[in-house]
Structures are given as C-alpha cells and as structure tokens.
Amino acid sequence: MSQDSENNESGKVSRRAFLGATAFSGVAGAGLATGLLPRATFAANNENGVAVHPGELDEYYGFWSGGQSGEVRILGVPSMRELMRIPVFNVDGASGWGVTNESKRVLGDTAHFQNGDTHHPHMSFQDGTYDGKYVWINDKANSRVGRIRCDVMVTDRITRIPNITSVHGLRPQKAPYTKYVFCNGEFVIPHPNDGRDLDDPSKYFTVFSGLNAETMEVDWQVIVDGNLDNTDADYTGKYAASTCYQGRGEGVTLAETMRNERDHAVIFNIEAIEKAVEAGDYITIDGSKVPVVDGRGDNTPFTRYIPVPKSPHGLNTSPDGKYFVANGKLSPTVTVIAIDRLDDLFAGKLKTERDVVVAEPELGLGPLHTAYDGRGNAYTTLFIDSQIVKWNVEDAIRAYNGEEVNYVRQKLDVHYQPGHNHTTMGETKEADGKWLVALCKFSKDRFLSTGVLKPENDQLIDISGDEMKLVHDGPAFAEPHDCTLVHRSKMRNVQSLWTRDDPFFAETVAMAKEDGVTLEADNKVIRDGNKVRVYMTAVAPVFGIDKFTVKQGDEVTVVVTNLDRIEDLAHGFVMTNHGVSFNISPQQTASVTFVADQPGVHWYYCSFFCHAMHMEMRGRMLVELPE
C-alpha cells in the first residue's frame, strides 16, 4: 500500500502512514525510530481452536483492567467475549456502585473520588498457583488498592496506601500463599508532604509497601532510591523485585529521569524486612503508624540495586521460579536475573550486584513486558517494533556465556505498540502455553471509525505450537492496561446466588435488626424524626411496598431484599429524578440513602428486566410539603 493511499481525503495522515515516516517522539532522544509493519495474517487453522460455539464455555477467565474507567472487566478466553464489568473505583449506574450505602462503605473515606486508573489485576496464590479467592487492582490516580471477591465478583475492600503518590506496580506474594500484596509507590515526593520542601527533589523519595492480603492494611514499607515502576515476586516467599528508574538520582523532569546510563532492578528481602519490623527497628513518617525501614544506599539488609539498562519497565518472574526478567524500554535488551544467586548477593559473597545477571538478550526496540509458556520460552512485547518476540531463556543464557546460539525463535507483528502481554496461567508455576493476549495501545486502522477517540486493540495469539499465530483481535475501551488469564478450574467458588449471611451487607442487616425488621419477610416504614427507613422485599414482578409517604426534606433510606432464588433474576431499584439507581441480585440486600427534596409524586421502578410484567414492577413515593 502506498503512503498516498494511507492519507485520507481531508489531507490528514493515518497512524499507519505517520509511524512509517517518522521517529517515535517519546524516545527520539534515545535514537530509536519505528516503522509500521504489514498487517498480520490471521491463522485459519490454529492448533487450539479459537471458536467457542453456542452452548460451550470458555476455558479461561480473563481479568482485564479497565484503565481510565476505574473498573475491572471479565472476558472469556479464547472467545474474547466481555462477560462482566466489576466497578471498583468508578461510579457505575447499572450496579449502583458509588451510590449504594454498601458500596460507599467499601469506598470509605475515598468515596469522594469519582475516578480511578486501574492498571494491574492479579489473583491470590496458594503454593505458586492461583487459588480463585481474590483479585487485587491498583488505582494509580488516587493511590489506592481494591480487592475483588471472586466468589461474587464484587469489590469488598479498598485501601488508600499511605506515604505515597500513585500505586503503580502491584503483585501478590506467590508462596507459600499470598500473605502480602506488593505495591510500588511510583512518584517521589517530599516527606512530610505538607508544603515544605516543595521544589527540593533532594528531599523526595518513595516507598515499597507490603499490603496485608487479608486485613487490607499496610504491614510495612521500605524507602527506596528513585521511582518504582513494576514489580513481581519469587516462588519461595523470600524475595520481590521492582524496576526502578532514576534510582540514585533526583530527577523529576523527562530529561533528568533519562540521564543515567543505567537504572536498577531493586531486590527486596522480605524476611529481613519482617524481622526488622518485629524487632521494632523502624520509623514512622507523615503521621502514619505504618512501620517504615530505610532501603536506600548499598548493602542494607533490606534491598539490593541491580544495575540494568536505563528506564526499565516490566518485571516478570519465570514460572520455573529461576529468574526475574527486567525489560529495557529504552534498550533493545532485557536483563535476566538468577533468583538462586540472591542469597549470596545479600550475604556479600558476590563481587558486584551484576553477578546475579545471567543473560541480557537483544530482542528489538522497546521491550516492555515478558510472559512465559512453561516450556522454557519467553514472549516479550516490543512497543516500538509493534511485535511480540518469542525467545528461549536458557539459550539466551548460553549466548551470554559466549556460545554461538540463536535464542530468538520468532517475531510476530501485532497492531500497534503493545504494552502488557499475558499468557494463560503464565504468572504461575502452572503456565500451560496455550494462549497469549497482546494489549496494544493503538488500533487506528483496525476497526470502523468511532470519531476522534479510538479504541485500543486486544489481540489473541495461539502459542500452543512451534509458531505463534494471531487468531483474533478486538476493540477495547478505554485503555485496558493489563490482564490476568486464569484457568476455569481455579474458580471453583464462584456463586450464582448471594448467601443471606454474607458480610458484604452485614451492616444493613444489623440496622434492620435494630429496627425490629426481618428483611426476608417484612415490608415496613420506620420513622425517626426526619429520617425515614423503608424496608421492602422484591419478588418478580412486585415490590413488597407499592407506596410510601415522606415529607419534603426527609432523609430517606430504602432497603430492598431480593427474595428470588433463580439464577439471573436480578432486580433494580430506581427512584426517578433523585439520582438513585442500583442492582439487587438474587438473595442480596442493598440500600441507598437520599434526601426527598422535591414535593409531589415520584415513581420508583425495577430497572433489570425480570418478568413478563416487569414494566408493572413499580411504586410511588409521595412527598408531602413540610408542616
């Protein structure tokens, strides 16, 4: 295709032609140029069989970050069908997340934030593999971490991480179980961040946090040099590692953060951190009670800084537990770190920190993230080359040691500029090497035009054979940054109905008990001065109360209990003209509180289609003028 035919009739240049003719501006200073590659050919007869026919179920759950939407999405793999959206940090009109009293309790003192920026969804582990219990997700925008219960696929806890600005990299501890969720504070800030030292970067630092997986409280933090990017954990429970840019410097501008010849992968010694905290050898900062130890400088008991090429990005652990791989971003290489050498590194038995590096293969332009197939092969995204490169880890080590060996197995074009990639079960010891998803940042000529904001492009690749084969792509909104692919056998505890004693709505149940109300049987209005509590059941196609009366200015709490036991039979409750809308799934209780500020007749209705007479499932709130 000629460049002329790539230009549209208005004289604008398409993304494809533009990238083919110019250097990628973000790394122009590093001398990296890019050109677009031909469209990949879809494999007609892939080994895995991408089709999921009617009546058949997907083999994998995919948990996608929702990016700037602040949510998590569930996709089936390999069908790539979107199955569900789980609100976390966002306000959601369908479920009522951010509107109901129950969701506001989860959001806590951060409920006033109505946005989130979700990046890294990761599941809890037991003995190095997924256990189907929780998924955690970070909010880079507002320094929070949310936890999703996988039995009901609902967010049950949100924690704002103290002493940081922006949680970026996030990974659960893999063994012996997920005791901690490791969280990187990305941006350095002064401490205390109270208006002093505003423009003195020498006073800035950030911390690495150990978030308790069960309590969702931060158990400890480690001060580090530089800005932390991505993180991962080993398979013993002893170590975690994070990429660190502008580490050992005070850079806050683009030029400053790129000026070092090398940056670092920081290794965290979890046992040493725990022992110091147990012994009381810590400080606290910024008024927080969280124990903080200082991991800056050389030869601390808590950290080691492994020199790697500048501005590293992804950090990924191989499923055999042998290696951390730090991805170069501004270098065409990735750095392979031997985990079994870390004991000697902390014991001072190695000459330099670089003695833990066992390979540094050259893969292509802009390596960002690496995934694995469990057969010794790694798959790295090349952002600038718009490719996935398949390479063999042991061959790369042999080449590093001077042998003549070609470690690159294949390069596959993807469209365009891939960030994260993820293989089925690839972040566990049970990596099965069937599918890889490439999450591409641009899709400008892949789909029908949607105006000025284009979707991203998620692509499914068959990796079960010797060659990668691209078998599917689809649009995604807004920027689904990362995903986790979990075999359905790990999700044994997914429920189709709520249980009536579920702790998610326990506070609402306790309120009803104080009012003398049995939620499963009673339909009552409780008046307490200008506070009115309306308890009603919902059974298709009727609410238990079809009319209630309040006065203008009353604070009204409506509590609805769905008594239906049929899977799929959800109800909704909408109070017209009051900004009230929420979902009540089978056997769930949900509530909302609002002010009846408008006199007159206000209808409420069921918003989830539940019955042939669904349109008639409604009632009236009569708002009288105050006396």
Side-chain angles (χ1 to χ4, degrees):
M1 182 181 289
S2 69
Q3 183 166 318
D4 288 341
S5 64
E6 284 287 296
N7 299 342
N8 62 28
E9 294 180 359
S10 65
K12 296 177 182 176
V13 181
S14 73
R15 170 117 201 130
R16 172 182 283 257
F18 171 74
L19 288 178
T22 186
F24 187 77
S25 60
V27 292
L32 301 178
T34 182
L36 273 179
L37 302 155
R39 285 181 182 267
T41 301
F42 286 96
N45 297 303
N46 63 294
E47 283 84 346
N48 272 334
V50 68
V52 178
H53 297 287
E56 295 182 359
L57 302 179
D58 282 292
E59 189 174 1
Y60 301 90
Y61 285 82
F63 293 91
W64 257 249
S65 60
Q68 300 91 333
S69 72
E71 64 193 11
V72 168
R73 300 165 190 167
I74 304 175
L75 273 67
V77 175
S79 74
M80 300 297 283
R81 299 167 182 150
E82 185 177 291
L83 305 176
M84 183 58 62
R85 296 189 173 196
I86 304 172
V88 185
F89 305 112
N90 54 313
V91 175
D92 178 64
S95 65
W97 191 261
V99 176
T100 64
N101 296 324
E102 292 74 25
S103 61
K104 286 180 177 179
R105 291 183 192 119
V106 174
L107 288 158
D109 60 5
T110 70
H112 61 286
F113 296 132
Q114 295 194 358
N115 72 305
D117 184 13
T118 55
H119 280 220
H120 301 118
H122 291 286
M123 181 170 280
S124 49
F125 282 79
Q126 182 77 36
D127 297 325
T129 193
Y130 297 132
D131 65 6
K133 188 174 183 181
Y134 297 124
V135 165
W136 288 273
I137 186 75
N138 66 308
D139 173 15
K140 182 173 177 178
N142 299 300
S143 308
R144 295 177 290 181
V145 173
R147 184 180 73 184
I148 295 167
R149 277 177 45 190
C150 293
D151 58 344
V152 289
M153 301 299 185
V154 169
T155 306
D156 79 324
R157 292 292 298 272
I158 289 176
T159 299
R160 193 172 188 189
I161 307 298
N163 304 324
I164 68 164
T165 290
S166 288
V167 180
H168 186 216
L170 176 148
R171 291 293 174 90
Q173 193 173 30
K174 297 181 178 181
Y177 65 96
T178 299
K179 180 179 181 181
Y180 301 114
V181 179
F182 300 122
C183 307
N184 281 346
E186 182 173 2
F187 303 135
V188 292
I189 54 174
H191 292 273
N193 193 17
D194 61 359
R196 289 175 276 180
D197 305 315
L198 289 176
D199 203 19
D200 183 0
S202 68
K203 304 287 180 65
Y204 292 9
F205 63 80
T206 191
V207 297
F208 176 79
S209 300
L211 177 67
N212 188 295
E214 290 298 330
T215 68
M216 288 292 285
E217 301 291 336
V218 178
D219 280 357
W220 46 257
Q221 294 180 319
V222 183
I223 302 173
V224 296
D225 287 319
N227 302 268
L228 294 176
D229 200 342
N230 283 278
T231 189
D232 207 345
D234 73 354
Y235 282 86
T236 68
K238 290 180 66 175
Y239 297 109
S242 298
T243 47
C244 181
Y245 63 94
Q246 189 55 24
R248 309 301 177 95
E250 298 162 7
V252 292
T253 67
L254 174 63
E256 289 168 348
T257 57
M258 294 173 62
R259 68 189 173 195
N260 291 346
E261 284 302 311
R262 283 190 178 273
D263 281 314
H264 300 90
V266 187
I267 310 298
F268 296 93
N269 187 324
I270 307 306
E271 291 179 350
I273 296 164
E274 289 179 324
K275 285 180 181 178
V277 171
E278 259 181 59
D281 297 333
Y282 61 81
I283 62 171
T284 59
I285 58 177
D286 286 15
S288 167
K289 295 181 180 179
V290 174
V292 179
V293 300
D294 196 340
R296 292 173 292 188
D298 297 320
N299 300 317
T300 81
F302 314 118
T303 57
R304 288 293 183 273
Y305 292 80
I306 313 302
V308 298
K310 67 166 65 179
S311 297
H313 187 57
L315 195 293
N316 305 96
T317 308
S318 61
D320 57 12
K322 293 182 178 180
Y323 308 111
F324 290 134
V325 173
N327 299 268
K329 193 164 77 173
L330 295 188
S331 165
T333 62
V334 300
T335 303
V336 182
I337 297 167
I339 294 173
D340 64 3
R341 297 187 184 183
L342 297 181
D343 286 350
D344 287 344
L345 177 65
F346 276 92
K349 296 180 181 180
L350 303 181
K351 291 182 179 179
T352 72
E353 286 83 357
R354 285 283 295 180
D355 288 343
V356 300
V357 175
V358 294
E360 211 150 49
E362 184 172 321
L363 302 177
L365 298 182
L368 292 188
H369 297 279
T370 296
Y372 306 91
D373 63 9
R375 300 188 296 271
N377 300 309
Y379 301 78
T380 298
T381 54
L382 302 179
F383 181 83
I384 296 171
D385 281 341
S386 286
Q387 290 182 320
I388 304 291
V389 56
K390 176 181 178 179
W391 55 284
N392 185 270
V393 179
E394 295 302 326
D395 281 356
I397 294 171
R398 290 167 58 199
Y400 191 73
N401 291 327
E403 293 187 43
E404 293 287 335
V405 59
N406 182 11
Y407 46 80
V408 173
R409 297 291 188 262
Q410 182 191 1
K411 291 187 176 183
L412 179 71
D413 301 339
V414 292
H415 306 279
Y416 303 97
Q417 275 69 59
H420 279 274
N421 62 346
H422 201 96
T423 52
T424 47
M425 298 295 291
E427 292 184 344
T428 78
K429 67 181 182 181
E430 296 181 315
D432 60 23
K434 290 187 177 181
W435 300 104
L436 179 146
V437 170
L439 291 92
C440 301
K441 300 299 185 187
F442 301 109
S443 69
K444 306 311 185 209
D445 61 353
R446 304 293 291 176
F447 310 112
L448 290 172
S449 179
T450 54
V452 293
L453 181 60
K454 312 297 183 185
E456 276 72 45
N457 187 10
D458 293 344
Q459 297 192 300
L460 182 68
I461 298 166
D462 178 5
I463 59 170
S464 61
D466 291 336
E467 291 188 358
M468 296 182 284
K469 296 180 180 180
L470 179 60
V471 297
H472 172 87
D473 70 359
F477 178 83
E479 186 185 320
H481 193 88
D482 192 9
C483 68
T484 293
L485 305 180
V486 180
H487 195 272
R488 67 187 186 193
S489 63
K490 303 298 179 184
M491 307 295 290
R492 301 183 188 94
N493 298 320
V494 180
Q495 299 175 194
S496 296
L497 305 174
W498 286 87
T499 57
R500 291 297 305 142
D501 59 352
D502 196 287
F504 185 76
F505 43 88
E507 289 190 43
T508 306
V509 171
M511 179 181 70
K513 188 173 291 187
E514 284 187 15
D515 281 337
V517 170
T518 302
L519 290 170
E520 296 83 357
D522 293 340
N523 292 280
K524 290 184 177 180
V525 177
I526 307 294
R527 302 184 188 280
D528 181 13
N530 70 340
K531 295 184 178 180
V532 180
R533 291 180 291 281
V534 181
Y535 295 93
M536 68 176 75
T537 57
V539 179
V542 293
F543 289 115
I545 292 178
D546 61 13
K547 178 181 69 174
F548 64 90
T549 302
V550 299
K551 294 190 180 298
Q552 184 183 11
D554 281 354
E555 179 187 276
V556 181
T557 298
V558 175
V559 182
V560 184
T561 299
N562 184 346
L563 297 182
D564 283 303
R565 294 179 176 274
I566 299 172
E567 185 177 332
D568 286 355
L569 214 166
H571 295 298
F573 181 90
V574 174
M575 180 63 72
T576 56
N577 301 322
H578 282 76
V580 169
S581 176
F582 61 96
N583 155 255
I584 319 100
S585 293
Q587 293 297 299
Q588 183 183 7
T589 293
S591 66
V592 69
T593 299
F594 61 95
V595 175
D597 56 359
Q598 308 166 52
V601 175
H602 301 277
W603 286 89
Y604 53 90
Y605 66 91
C606 177
S607 56
F608 278 68
F609 201 98
C610 61
H611 191 273
M613 300 299 289
H614 162 74
M615 294 293 292
E616 286 73 22
M617 188 171 176
R618 59 193 178 183
R620 292 171 294 153
M621 178 177 70
L622 309 180
V623 182
E624 299 176 337
L625 290 169
E627 295 176 356

